[in-house]
Structure formats: structure tokens, C-alpha cells
Amino acid sequence: MTVYGSFPGARPRRLRTNPAMRRMVAETRLHPADLILPAFVREGVTEPLAISAMPGVVQHSLDTLRKAAVEAVTAGVSGIMLFGVPEDEKKDALGTAGTDPEGILQVAVRAVRDEVGDDLVIMSDLCLDEYTDHGHCGVLDSAGRVDNDATLERYAEMAQVQADAGVHVVGTSGMMDGQVGVVRDALDTIGKEDVAVLAYAVKYSSAFYGPFREAVGSSLTGDRKTYQQDPANSRESMRELALDLEEGADMVMVKPAGPYLDVLAKVAAEVAVPVAAYQISGEYAMIEAAAEKGWIDRDKAILESLTGIKRAGAQTILTYWATEVARAL
């Protein structure tokens, strides 16, 4: 009897023999349309201001924000998530600059909408932290704790002014209980049924937010552990997810992305709505810093990190490298 073949009979390496073969059998592919660009716009500046902890990222002026939006469209990026940075003297306990129709975020939304129209999905951060003098994501009570229900009233106002400014999607990032339902009702009440809600359904209290605090000029004292999730918990995420879906979320997000790929995979397996993940400031800064030291290959590390997020189940990824990566793809 003739025996064919020799040990090992199975040779997976046959499918890795050259770049064309590896490309053909790749299970996960990044596409420019997967990417959303987070962008900061600062009130009262005429030139962009560098963010020291995030090399290559800036606080935009309105003019440079318009340019960044056009560049994102040209590169094939799907969306832009806008964060407003008000002048310090406009911050107060209630974050009133966040609901002022002439507040920096609303002005920025109108500027980008005028520049690119519907060619880019314009998203806005719906949270008070950039606008409060205490830096928390909500209104404080007499004991200095974040008052959930009083904060919801502020979020409803924010949703309406952002929608009036022309936003396509509001990102409910404050992690208040009931925020998605309140925002959905507020939008529907003023006839903005077409404005979608991206629920930050899973948002952890993370050490990786550090550089973001500089990016938005945060005034935070203390921490956000009473409303953002404990990094030790996973089942809690699924409860938060279920509640946001019941309240009418159109899309859901996991934030941060890289340290929580296990949670992202669970969320993606559970839902029938689009799933986003936010590759946050600390994730960005680590790669940039290590690359600056010559310890890693920057471009390969960026693509590998994004591919891992996509492989875990994210359909869209918020990343500060969105335009750069879209061009490379």
C-alpha cells in the first residue's frame, strides 16, 4: 500500500507564503469607511494649538476644523466626532456653554455642516464635562455628587441645540442612567426624529483618558468612578447595553477599545445594531511615544491595533489616525 504525504499533513503555512496569498485569505479588512475622526475645536483661537500629550493632534480653530473635515471626506472617512473647548471664563457649574446655541460646539457643527454637508456623518459629544467649572459630566448636588436626574434635563437641552445646529448623530457619553431615552424623547419632541443616537453604552473609568483631559482643557477635580464603569466588571456592561437598546439607541459604543477587546467582542455578538469602539487618547499616545523612542514600527503598530479592534467586532472605529490611515488604505 502506498502512503502519500509526510508529517505534518496539514500545513497552514501554505496560506502565508507571499503577500498576495495573505491578502487573499485575510479574515479581517480595514476600510476607510470604518473610521471616524474625533476632533477638538477651541473657542477664540485663530491658529490650531498642539496637544503635547497627543503628538500630531491639535485643538482646531474653526478654519482648520473645516479643512480637517474636507480632508476626512477626501480620504473616505465616514464621520467626524466633534468636541468643543470653550473659553475658561465661560465654564460654570451647569455647563451653560454646552446648551448655548452660540456655544463653540454648536458653532463648530454648523461650520462643518456648511463645509461638507452630508458627505461626512457629523457627530457631537453630548456631555457637560467640557463646559463645567468642576469638570464632571453632570450637575452636582449640594453634597458635591453628580445628580443623575438633574443632569438628564441638561442633556435634553444639549441634544436639542446640537440637533438644531445640524448634527447627524449625538454621542451620549456622560454615563447617566436613562440618558438615551431622555435624549431620544427630546429630539423627537422638536421633530428631529432623523438625528441618530450613538450610545456610549460601555464606558469605563480608565487611566487611558489622561491625554484627553489636556485636549478638552478639563477642569476635573476628583474622578468619575460613580458613573463610569469599573474596569473589573464585564457583566455590568451587558446590563448597560441592554438598557440603552431598550431606550432607543441606534448605535452603541465600547470605550476604551484596546484594553476592552473582550467586552467589545461580547457586545458585538449580542446586538443587531452597529457597534463602534473608541481608540482613546491614551492608546494613541502610547503608540506615538513608543514609536518616537524607536521601540516599535509606528505604521505597523497603528494598523495592527486597529485591525485588532475590527477583528473583535467593531464596525466603526473612532481613532485620531482616521484620516492618515484612510489615506494609506
Side-chain angles (χ1 to χ4, degrees):
M1 179 178 178
T2 302
V3 178
Y4 295 96
S6 59
F7 181 84
R11 295 182 181 269
R13 287 182 57 189
R14 294 187 187 111
L15 301 183
R16 305 173 195 148
T17 52
N18 59 59
M21 178 69 80
R22 293 191 293 273
R23 184 172 64 249
M24 183 180 75
V25 301
E27 299 173 27
T28 304
R29 301 181 193 277
L30 283 172
H31 187 277
D34 300 334
L35 306 176
I36 297 168
L37 176 68
F40 308 101
V41 56
R42 181 161 185 158
E43 189 170 23
V45 300
T46 57
E47 298 292 335
L49 301 178
I51 300 168
S52 64
M54 300 175 68
V57 181
V58 300
Q59 293 176 330
H60 285 285
S61 68
L62 286 171
D63 285 342
T64 62
L65 178 65
R66 292 186 186 96
K67 180 181 178 182
V70 171
E71 290 174 347
V73 170
T74 302
V77 170
S78 281
I80 188 167
M81 174 65 79
L82 300 177
F83 297 86
V85 184
E87 296 171 326
D88 286 342
E89 57 270 23
K90 293 186 178 178
K91 294 182 180 182
D92 60 25
L94 298 178
T96 53
T99 51
D100 180 355
E102 297 305 316
I104 182 58
L105 182 55
Q106 285 68 253
V107 171
V109 168
R110 290 196 294 270
V112 174
R113 190 68 186 264
D114 288 345
E115 191 71 32
V116 299
D118 293 330
D119 291 340
L120 194 64
V121 178
I122 303 168
M123 304 178 172
S124 55
D125 181 55
L126 200 161
C127 193
L128 287 171
D129 60 318
E130 296 100 320
Y131 311 101
T132 54
D133 52 14
H134 48 73
H136 279 286
C137 297
V139 178
L140 303 185
D141 63 17
S142 59
R145 298 169 298 191
V146 175
D147 186 325
N148 191 95
D149 294 0
T151 299
L152 294 182
E153 295 180 18
R154 302 288 296 124
Y155 286 179
E157 294 178 54
M158 291 189 79
Q160 291 176 341
V161 297
Q162 291 176 5
D164 284 339
V167 76
H168 297 104
V169 179
V170 293
T172 53
S173 64
M175 289 302 289
M176 296 297 119
D177 296 337
Q179 63 185 13
V180 171
V182 164
V183 165
R184 182 70 271 159
D185 287 347
L187 292 169
D188 293 350
T189 297
I190 62 168
K192 298 293 183 179
E193 295 90 351
D194 288 343
V195 175
V197 176
L198 169 59
Y200 285 54
V202 180
K203 184 178 180 181
Y204 283 93
S205 179
S206 173
F208 293 96
Y209 295 134
F212 182 87
R213 307 277 161 79
E214 177 190 348
V216 296
S218 174
S219 303
L220 180 66
T221 55
D223 58 50
R224 298 184 172 122
K225 292 182 179 179
T226 64
Y227 44 102
Q228 294 179 352
Q229 291 174 233
D230 186 340
N233 294 348
S234 175
R235 289 193 301 271
E236 180 183 38
S237 298
M238 305 312 289
R239 184 184 184 199
E240 291 277 6
L241 173 69
L243 290 168
D244 282 355
L245 291 172
E246 288 174 11
E247 291 173 25
D250 299 290
M251 299 176 279
V252 295
M253 184 192 290
V254 175
K255 181 180 180 181
Y260 297 92
L261 294 181
D262 59 323
V263 177
L264 173 58
K266 287 176 64 177
V267 169
E270 183 73 17
V271 304
V273 300
V275 176
Y278 197 146
Q279 186 182 52
I280 65 170
S281 58
E283 299 175 71
Y284 175 94
M286 287 192 301
I287 290 178
E288 290 288 352
E292 184 180 356
K293 291 282 190 180
W295 293 341
I296 60 173
D297 183 309
R298 176 184 180 275
D299 293 348
K300 290 180 180 178
I302 291 170
L303 286 175
E304 186 174 337
S305 67
L306 291 170
T307 299
I309 296 167
K310 180 77 181 292
R311 188 184 62 245
Q315 291 169 264
T316 54
I317 304 171
L318 284 81
T319 176
Y320 300 99
W321 290 302
T323 301
E324 176 186 345
V325 170
R327 287 170 176 159
L329 294 174

